Amino acid sequence: MQIKQLTLFTNQLDAQKLFYNKTLGFQLATENSDSFSVQVGRTLLTHQKSEISHKYHYCFLIPSNQLKESIIWLKERLNLVEIESGKIVQKFESWNADSVYFYDGSGNLAEFIVRYDLKNEVAADFDLSKILCVNEIGMPSKNVEAINQQLENEMNSKFWKGDKLRFGTNGTED
């Protein structure tokens, strides 16, 4: 399953717009008083005004050979999340992936991930155009199994990795 459109709600719309447009450098695809959208690779990412705070964890897929370059690019624009003792790269051995994390304009935890099994290397330097898509969206739940079943039934998104008791993933690497 590929995420082609994603809407995130925020009570800090102006801060999000500043983050995406000025900090990261995305051109606004659409904008009105209640929302704006940016094209992130093959995903249209929309931020919709809300009266209440919403917190998300979402992830951007980047080419599998661009982690180091993306870290340099990100550090020129923002602070990366330190995982522990100065470490900023999280290795996921069972997924054959590495990630770095940062906060967006609303305080959501965002991530760049490289998934080595996709073999989607590129030769050019890293910039915004190398972000392939929104690759993950977190869906906290007290009942992972029920959410998994709903995703399978309504979106044909099959269970991928993890466990159905604490932390499960649906879809595919891509």
Side-chain angles (χ1 to χ4, degrees):
M1 178 178 82
Q2 295 181 354
I3 301 171
K4 297 192 188 238
Q5 293 183 348
L6 179 64
T7 299
L8 302 178
F9 295 92
T10 181
N11 64 346
Q12 299 178 51
L13 188 65
D14 290 338
Q16 276 296 66
K17 187 170 18 174
L18 183 67
F19 177 80
Y20 274 89
N21 187 239
K22 301 298 182 196
T23 302
L24 294 183
F26 282 99
Q27 295 297 314
L28 300 180
T30 64
E31 176 184 18
N32 61 45
S33 61
D34 292 330
S35 69
F36 72 92
S37 299
V38 293
Q39 190 69 45
V40 182
R42 63 179 171 255
T43 305
L44 183 65
L45 178 60
T46 300
H47 295 273
Q48 177 72 44
K49 185 177 181 179
S50 171
E51 295 302 317
I52 61 172
S53 176
H54 296 268
K55 291 298 175 198
Y56 299 98
H57 166 61
Y58 56 97
C59 171
F60 300 109
L61 179 64
I62 63 172
S64 58
N65 65 329
Q66 299 248 303
L67 184 65
K68 288 180 184 173
E69 285 190 11
S70 74
I71 289 171
I72 293 166
W73 186 87
L74 283 167
K75 282 183 170 182
E76 292 173 354
R77 292 157 176 76
L78 50 82
N79 294 319
L80 294 175
V81 172
E82 185 176 303
I83 299 166
E84 58 182 69
S85 306
K87 177 182 159 186
I88 59 169
V89 175
Q90 178 64 52
K91 295 191 174 296
F92 296 100
E93 293 194 21
S94 68
W95 293 16
N96 196 23
D98 290 330
S99 293
V100 294
Y101 299 90
F102 54 94
Y103 292 103
D104 70 11
S106 291
N108 297 307
L109 185 62
E111 171 185 359
F112 275 9
I113 192 168
V114 295
R115 297 181 182 277
Y116 299 108
D117 291 341
L118 290 177
K119 298 181 183 357
N120 56 4
E121 298 87 0
V122 296
D125 291 339
F126 185 84
D127 61 27
L128 281 181
S129 70
K130 304 308 177 295
I131 302 173
L132 303 171
C133 62
V134 175
N135 187 243
E136 301 174 8
I137 179 65
M139 298 175 66
S141 172
K142 292 181 180 179
N143 190 336
V144 174
E145 190 168 16
I147 292 294
N148 172 72
Q149 193 61 53
Q150 184 177 1
L151 288 169
E152 286 189 7
N153 291 344
E154 294 179 20
M155 301 181 78
N156 198 30
S157 177
K158 303 296 182 201
F159 184 77
W160 181 52
K161 288 192 177 190
D163 66 72
K164 293 182 183 177
L165 297 176
R166 297 180 317 113
F167 178 83
T169 58
N170 282 67
T172 64
E173 287 183 292
D174 194 34

